[in-house]
């Protein structure tokens, strides 16, 4: 307990420093669902000065997955000979007509797993069925999926494949700045993604758009320290890449993990919910691993499925609309009856606001 | 499209409450009212308290307990939450074809031992076998009958603004123990389920607090978050709890951090939350701490005037956040 008291003291001291550093109104954006949830769970917005707005961006991998790709997962799950293995996060995300949870209640074979390797193990164990792992995630998750695909290839696990919906965070950051739809004075860069990527990919963002990027961890003091660093850069009119999560993130990232991804995936143009098609922003399986690609194996056709007409997830993901300002929030859209993924994914910005921040609503 | 039951309907959270109110309550006697209590008082049989509960935990044997112990404790605890002395129990078993007899023996040894421990008598039962794949090992149901200790039974509807919120120990041990027992995570620390009978603790607590003990509720499925939300909604009060005062279990906290679980939403099987009048809070807390299941008991918060139904947490940082009833399926077949 004394440890916690000391921590609370440090956090309040950081909050005071931030208040002193922020002279003019500033708008910072986090691009990591874990940050969004930590901010809500810890009530950090209450510690920030009024002049500092902290926005959520496209940092929840399930949320940025477009409806068309969700529909692919549903199409696969509805196929009798296929068992779909997925992180629990995807289960209740609505596609254009229903969710995996609805399909499972109708008898579809859907297995929640904690890792892609667990999905492969299940496939090997139950080799009489086809298994498809739904690969959703940023640079944090993609390496473990790539490694699983390598293992499947070595083992000749021909009843295993991956629906690859993986995406890259830096292209989305650049796309937001290029669009200029929302003012972003600094990025709180994601801790886990940076542990893989290192700091280099943010340099282009900082240089090209003169916007500072500071990598942050997930404790209260990590996040506030990074916000303080951003505030100071803004005050000093600097735009540098800084690392406030040094205990986990090395400047060079994790070259080994990147090499595994490089071997298995190629970088392709990808469609994002709310952002449209962004050049060079997604991963796809290389030709060499084509037989593990569920899209090719099952001949999945691109779909133009749109979002629910009342759903504003796209604007939430671009930072244009804050969850609490969405007309559907806690009204037409709740965790029990979500219109879009931001309300139901465990990393979604709306889910975080709904769970933790509805105090005035 | 035909509406179907999903696992979320069994999660102990919002969807389950909705389903119960919409599909199950209409068939219940109207004297039950809107409050969903742990056990029912019987009109015309003033001292008798009745409850029933089914147990589908997977795996049937886990660190700190098994299906048999759970099936006795769970029902005994539901009776205790209404201030009843548990007296009689029925046991119904549904067993899947192919289940090893040894598992049945293990479960029954536990049932017997826990009955002796709690002073409750197993007096009737039922046994059914279903084809392979129509069940999974053993499912159990217990119905419990108890007798009220005093005239005024604690109730989720009796919480009042100003009541102090007491909790008898650290949260989340059962849920984390079950997850670990399923082999779905590798934990450094061994976490044991808190599965335990609470009738003695309740007896001590009622002796100390008498009529000032307004509400007792066991935070099982859905955890403390669901329990406090049920109390706040039913009694029409707000509740605020303070993270700094929570009893601690570092093993559970580590596991929850690792898995991204909110320990306020994780299931318990040997915990109770009590809302008591402020003047009896100290003696009740002392009585709880004098009992084996309440050594780490703590005053964690307070009931407030309103807004009705709102539960908030004061974090260690001094900020406030909502404590929401869990949504969706947290961990199916946790009890």
């Amino acid at each position: 307990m004394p440890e916690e008291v000391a921590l609370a003291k440090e956090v309040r001291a950081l909050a005071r420093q931030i208040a002193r550093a922020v002279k003019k109104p500033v708008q910072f954006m986090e691009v990591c669902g874990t940050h969004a949830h930590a901010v809500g769970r810890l009530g950090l917005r209450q510690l920030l000065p009024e002049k500092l707005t902290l926005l959520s961006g496209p940092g929840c991998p399930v949320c940025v997955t477009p409806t068309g790709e969700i529909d692919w997962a549903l199409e696969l799950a509805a196929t009798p000979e296929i068992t779909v293995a997925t992180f629990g996060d995807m289960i209740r995300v609505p596609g254009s007509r229903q969710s995996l949870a609805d399909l499972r209640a109708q008898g579809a074979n859907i297995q929640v797993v904690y890792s892609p390797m667990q999905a492969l193990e299940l496939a090997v164990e139950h080799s009489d069925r086809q298994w498809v792992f739904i690969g959703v995630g940023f640079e944090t998750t993609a390496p473990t999926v790539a490694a699983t695909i390598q293992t499947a290839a070595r083992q000749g696990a021909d009843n295993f494949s991956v629906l690859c919906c993986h995406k890259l965070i830096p292209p989305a950051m650049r796309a937001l700045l290029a669009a200029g739809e929302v003012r972003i004075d600094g990025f709180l860069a994601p801790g886990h993604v940076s542990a893989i990527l290192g700091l280099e990919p943010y340099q282009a963002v900082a240089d090209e758009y003169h916007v500072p990027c500071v990598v942050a961890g997930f404790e209260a003091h990590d996040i506030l320290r990074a916000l303080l660093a951003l505030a100071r850069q803004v005050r000093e009119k600097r735009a540098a890449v800084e690392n406030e999560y040094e205990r986990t993130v090395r400047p060079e990232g994790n070259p080994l993990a990147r090499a595994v991804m490089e071997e298995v995936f190629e970088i392709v143009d990808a469609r994002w919910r709310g952002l449209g098609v962004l050049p060079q922003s997604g991963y796809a399986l290389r030709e060499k691993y084509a037989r593990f690609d569920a899209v090719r194996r099952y001949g999945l056709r691109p779909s133009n499925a749109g979002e629910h007409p009342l759903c504003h997830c796209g604007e939430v993901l671009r930072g244009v609309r804050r969850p609490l300002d969405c007309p559907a929030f806690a009204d037409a859209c709740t965790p029990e009856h979500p219109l879009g993924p931001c309300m139901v994914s465990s990393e979604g910005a709306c889910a975080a606001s709904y769970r933790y921040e509805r105090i005035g609503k | 499209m035909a509406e179907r039951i999903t696992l979320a309907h069994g999660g102990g959270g919002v969807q389950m409450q909705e389903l119960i109110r919409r599909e199950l309550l209409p068939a219940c006697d109207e004297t039950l009212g809107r409050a969903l209590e742990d056990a029912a008082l019987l009109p015309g049989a003033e001292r008798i308290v009745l409850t029933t509960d089914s147990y589908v935990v997977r795996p049937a044997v886990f660190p700190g307990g098994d299906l048999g112990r759970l099936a006795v404790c769970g029902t005994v605890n539901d009776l205790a939450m209404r201030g009843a002395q548990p007296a009689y129990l029925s046991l119904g078993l549904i067993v899947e074809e192919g289940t090893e007899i040894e598992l049945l023996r293990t479960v029954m040894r536990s049932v017997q031992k826990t009955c002796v421990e709690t002073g409750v008598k197993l007096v009737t039962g039922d046994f059914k076998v279903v084809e392979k794949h129509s069940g999974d090992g053993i499912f159990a149901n217990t119905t419990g009958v108890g007798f009220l200790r005093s005239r005024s039974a604690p109730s989720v509807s009796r919480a009042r603004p100003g009541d102090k919120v007491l909790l008898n120990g650290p949260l989340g041990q059962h849920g984390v123990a079950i997850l670990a027992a399923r082999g779905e995570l590798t934990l450094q620390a061994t976490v044991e389920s808190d599965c335990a009978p609470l009738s003695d603790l309740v007896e001590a607590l009622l002796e100390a607090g008498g009529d000032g003990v307004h509400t007792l509720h066991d935070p099982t499925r859905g955890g403390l978050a669901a329990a406090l939300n049920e109390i706040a909604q039913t009694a029409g009060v707000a509740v605020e709890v303070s993270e700094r005062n929570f009893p601690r279990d570092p093993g559970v906290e580590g596991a929850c951090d690792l898995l991204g679980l909110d320990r306020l939403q994780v299931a318990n099987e040997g915990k109770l939350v009590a809302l008591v009048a402020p003047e009896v809070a100290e003696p009740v807390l002392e009585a709880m701490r004098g009992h084996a299941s309440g050594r780490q008991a703590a005053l964690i918060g307070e009931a407030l005037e309103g807004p009705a139904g709102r539960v908030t947490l004061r974090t260690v940082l001094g900020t406030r956040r909502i404590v929401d009833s869990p949504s969706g399926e947290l961990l199916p077949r946790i009890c």
Side-chain angles (χ1 to χ4, degrees), chain A residues 4 42 46 104 336 359, chain B residues 248 310 319-320 327 329:
Chain A
E4 270 176 18
L42 300 163
Q46 296 158 42
R104 186 171 59 182
E336 289 73 43
I359 289 190
Chain B
R248 313 285 300 262
R310 191 174 81 183
T319 55
R320 283 166 83 214
S327 180
E329 39 154 337

Side-chain angles (χ1 to χ4, degrees), chain B:
Chain B
M1 192 182 358
E3 218 188 328
R4 289 172 195 264
I5 295 290
T6 69
L7 284 170
H9 289 123
V14 181
Q15 291 97 327
M16 188 170 99
Q17 292 278 333
E18 267 180 21
L19 184 92
I20 289 175
R21 291 195 191 285
R22 203 180 65 217
E23 308 293 340
L24 309 185
L25 272 192
C28 289
D29 188 88
E30 60 201 21
T31 53
L32 201 67
R34 260 182 55 83
L36 296 179
E37 303 276 4
D38 289 316
L41 308 190
L42 304 185
E46 304 309 337
R47 287 192 60 225
I48 300 183
V49 179
L50 180 70
T51 191
T52 192
D53 216 329
S54 299
Y55 301 88
V56 296
V57 65
R58 178 173 66 85
V61 181
F62 48 84
D66 60 34
L67 178 71
R69 183 167 174 77
L70 190 65
V72 177
C73 290
T75 295
V76 159
N77 291 348
D78 280 349
L79 291 172
M81 294 309 120
R82 299 307 308 276
Q85 167 79 53
Y88 301 109
L89 214 60
S90 77
L91 172 69
L93 294 173
I94 299 170
V95 184
E96 184 193 13
E97 173 192 23
T99 299
E100 288 184 17
I101 295 272
E102 192 47 43
L103 178 62
L104 182 66
R105 288 186 189 130
T106 303
V107 167
M108 289 313 297
R109 273 196 299 270
S110 269
V111 165
Q112 197 177 3
K113 199 169 148 247
T114 315
C115 281
V116 171
E117 184 183 339
T118 53
V120 70
K121 292 188 171 67
L122 178 60
V123 290
T124 184
D126 178 51
F127 184 81
K128 297 268 174 14
V129 177
V130 296
E131 311 93 305
K132 198 157 185 64
H133 305 307
S134 291
D136 183 10
I138 305 179
F139 293 160
N141 171 276
T142 50
T143 293
V145 173
F147 299 105
L148 273 190
R149 294 174 203 270
S150 73
R151 285 199 165 273
S152 52
S155 158
V156 285
S157 62
R158 280 186 58 206
R160 294 285 167 271
D163 279 1
K164 300 295 179 190
V165 182
L166 311 178
L167 175 69
N168 67 319
L171 295 169
Q173 291 163 330
H174 180 72
V176 169
I178 295 291
L179 262 186
R182 285 185 193 164
E184 285 171 1
L185 57 138
T186 31
L187 290 178
Q188 279 132 1
T190 325
V191 174
E192 289 209 348
S193 165
D194 56 344
C195 181
L198 297 170
S199 39
D200 287 357
L201 178 71
V202 169
E203 188 178 1
L205 175 164
L206 286 173
E207 238 163 62
D211 202 26
V213 178
H214 294 158
T215 303
L216 297 174
H217 196 18
D218 52 347
T220 53
R221 257 179 311 173
L224 184 72
L228 291 179
N229 273 284
E230 282 162 32
I231 293 168
Q233 280 158 21
T234 312
V237 295
V239 175
E240 178 148 300
V241 290
S242 172
E243 194 176 15
R244 192 167 279 180
N245 298 346
F246 280 20
R248 313 285 300 262
D249 180 337
V252 170
E253 286 168 30
C256 286
D257 286 350
L258 196 74
L259 296 167
L261 295 174
D262 180 353
R263 74 197 142 107
L264 266 61
Q265 296 192 340
V266 180
N268 311 277
E269 286 295 341
K271 293 294 171 308
L272 65 79
V273 58
L275 276 80
V276 305
E279 59 274 16
V280 301
E282 267 313 308
V284 169
L285 192 58
E286 213 161 291
M288 288 168 79
R289 285 178 179 157
H291 194 278
S293 318
R295 298 254 181 271
Q296 285 182 266
L299 195 162
I300 58 163
E302 191 176 9
L304 308 167
E305 283 285 349
R310 191 174 81 183
V311 182
T312 48
L313 175 82
R314 175 75 58 182
T315 71
V316 289
L317 304 175
T319 55
R320 283 166 83 214
R321 69 152 164 107
I322 293 279
V323 176
D324 203 16
S325 224
S327 180
E329 39 154 337
L330 281 179
L331 310 161
R333 294 181 58 189
I334 198 80
C335 60

Side-chain angles (χ1 to χ4, degrees), chain A:
Chain A
M1 197 50 69
E3 204 179 302
E4 270 176 18
V5 174
L7 199 67
K9 235 176 157 176
E10 185 196 339
V11 165
R12 280 194 298 270
L14 280 166
R16 282 192 300 272
Q17 285 175 279
I18 293 172
R20 280 197 296 272
V22 175
K23 297 295 178 209
K24 286 182 290 186
V26 286
Q27 214 152 241
F28 297 143
M29 177 182 271
E30 47 79 6
V31 282
C32 167
T34 313
H35 277 150
H37 275 256
V39 167
R41 194 182 68 248
L42 300 163
L44 292 186
R45 282 197 177 84
Q46 296 158 42
L47 298 175
L48 299 177
E50 248 173 66
K51 285 183 184 148
L52 194 164
T53 306
L54 179 58
L55 298 172
S56 284
C60 155
V62 167
C63 304
V64 301
T65 304
T67 305
E69 288 179 6
I70 310 264
D71 282 348
W72 277 349
L74 291 164
E75 188 181 331
L76 292 168
T79 311
E81 59 272 20
I82 294 174
T83 298
V84 158
T86 174
F87 293 132
D89 225 21
M90 284 287 289
I91 285 285
R92 291 173 52 229
V93 172
S96 50
R97 280 189 309 280
Q98 49 194 353
S99 69
L100 286 172
D102 296 327
L103 273 182
R104 186 171 59 182
Q106 291 160 35
N109 291 295
I110 295 159
Q111 176 79 43
V112 171
V113 292
Y114 288 85
S115 69
M117 205 53 100
Q118 191 191 351
L120 175 59
E121 284 163 12
L122 284 166
V124 169
E125 201 178 315
H126 305 276
S127 56
D128 53 326
R129 298 188 57 77
Q130 290 292 318
W131 287 73
V132 181
F133 176 74
I134 310 299
V136 166
F138 297 126
E139 294 90 336
T140 331
T141 319
T144 60
V145 175
T148 303
I149 292 168
Q150 286 178 331
T151 308
R154 271 198 307 276
Q155 294 178 346
D158 285 327
N159 63 326
F160 178 80
S161 59
V162 171
L163 179 63
C164 185
C165 310
H166 293 294
K167 292 178 176 55
L168 289 72
I169 273 289
M173 293 164 73
R174 282 201 302 275
L176 288 174
L177 293 172
E181 194 182 13
V182 58
R183 203 184 88 220
I184 300 168
D185 300 309
F187 276 113
L188 199 68
H192 296 141
V193 164
S194 306
I196 305 291
L197 292 183
L199 304 180
E200 192 269 333
Y202 306 117
Q203 200 59 54
V205 177
D207 293 347
E208 208 174 318
Y209 296 94
H210 198 74
V211 168
C213 299
V214 178
V215 176
F218 301 96
E219 305 290 341
H221 58 95
D222 291 327
I223 294 171
L224 291 193
R225 218 174 275 149
L227 289 173
L228 177 61
L230 284 173
R232 284 182 172 156
Q233 286 204 40
V234 169
R235 194 183 56 189
E236 293 156 13
K237 298 192 167 50
R238 290 189 296 127
V241 178
E242 289 179 62
N243 183 5
E244 285 288 348
Y245 195 30
E246 284 181 335
R247 66 180 188 276
T248 302
V249 175
R250 284 173 295 170
E252 72 280 15
N254 184 337
L256 195 69
R258 288 202 304 275
V260 172
M261 284 198 286
E262 168 74 11
E263 208 265 333
V264 176
F265 296 132
E266 57 186 331
I267 295 177
V268 296
D269 299 351
R271 180 177 291 280
W272 295 55
R273 185 186 300 262
L275 298 172
V277 176
L278 302 184
Q280 301 289 291
S281 69
Y283 288 120
L285 274 73
R286 287 188 185 280
E287 196 53 43
K288 182 182 170 192
Y289 292 102
R291 66 196 168 113
F292 297 103
D293 183 355
V295 174
R296 279 178 268 195
R297 181 179 294 197
Y298 300 104
L300 298 173
R301 298 260 157 260
S303 112
N304 293 320
E307 288 158 35
H308 191 288
L310 297 176
C311 177
H312 295 281
C313 278
E315 291 158 61
V316 169
L317 290 167
R318 296 199 301 275
V320 177
R321 194 188 282 277
R322 279 177 287 178
L324 290 167
D325 301 332
C326 175
F329 182 85
D331 187 30
C333 184
T334 62
E336 289 73 43
H337 304 287
L339 294 179
C342 298
M343 182 55 94
V344 76
S345 161
S346 65
E347 292 187 63
C350 299
S353 287
Y354 190 93
R355 268 182 80 174
Y356 304 123
E357 299 186 324
R358 270 179 303 146
I359 289 190
K361 191 124 174 172

